[in-house]
Amino acid sequence: MYRDISVSDVPRHHKSLSGRLRTEITTGLSSVYFEYSHLCTICLMQTATRIDALSRFGYALSDSTRAEILLTLREGPGYPSDLADKIGVSRQILSNHLACLRGCGLVVAQPEGRRSRYELADTRIAHALDDLIGLVLDVDPACCPAAETDNCC
């Protein structure tokens, strides 16, 4: 025998799922718990994925060289030697930062013979960078004492 679960049996953030969940009366709520925990796991995985993506993006932007690489690639694809010259760092340093950005999933390498061309992994990254550049932050000088002298914020 099966019974429908009432709305009161399902937490508030899963009210839309209440009509689809069923449980056997003979086994109590164990079936519901399994289905409910499975659905919560999916919700948590989606949230963790979003948080992970933001963390990777934030980590990439936390270094000025990586931020400059992303801003340069926002304008179009580039080769490591050209990027190193444009940014003003050694090729080894640029290579390390490109490896980090590849690991974060923000840039991809397209092999072209003996060279690799780097570009943003998704066009939405360029749009996100444009939005961040356009954002005006109100910096509290008490939080950043160097703001007045170094003009950093």
Side-chain angles (χ1 to χ4, degrees), residues 50-73:
R50 291 182 196 137
I51 291 170
D52 186 49
L54 287 175
S55 296
R56 288 171 186 252
F57 200 69
Y59 181 77
L61 292 175
S62 69
D63 182 86
S64 60
T65 303
R66 287 193 297 267
E68 197 165 352
I69 292 169
L70 289 172
L71 290 174
T72 303
L73 293 177

Side-chain angles (χ1 to χ4, degrees), residues 19-93:
R20 292 186 290 167
L21 297 178
R22 292 183 158 296
T23 184
E24 289 184 42
I25 292 175
T26 56
T27 60
L29 294 177
S30 60
S31 300
V32 172
Y33 176 75
F34 172 73
E35 290 182 53
Y36 175 72
S37 67
H38 176 69
L39 293 170
C40 281
T41 302
I42 291 170
C43 292
L44 289 174
M45 285 173 43
Q46 289 173 346
T47 302
T49 303
R50 291 182 196 137
I51 291 170
D52 186 49
L54 287 175
S55 296
R56 288 171 186 252
F57 200 69
Y59 181 77
L61 292 175
S62 69
D63 182 86
S64 60
T65 303
R66 287 193 297 267
E68 197 165 352
I69 292 169
L70 289 172
L71 290 174
T72 303
L73 293 177
R74 175 181 60 118
E75 299 165 2
Y79 296 97
S81 59
D82 299 336
L83 290 170
D85 293 341
K86 187 172 186 177
I87 294 172
V89 297
S90 71
R91 291 181 185 185
Q92 180 62 42
I93 289 174

Side-chain angles (χ1 to χ4, degrees), residues 94-109:
L94 185 86
S95 175
N96 291 338
H97 286 295
L98 285 173
C100 174
L101 292 170
R102 271 194 329 267
C104 287
L106 297 174
V107 300
V108 292

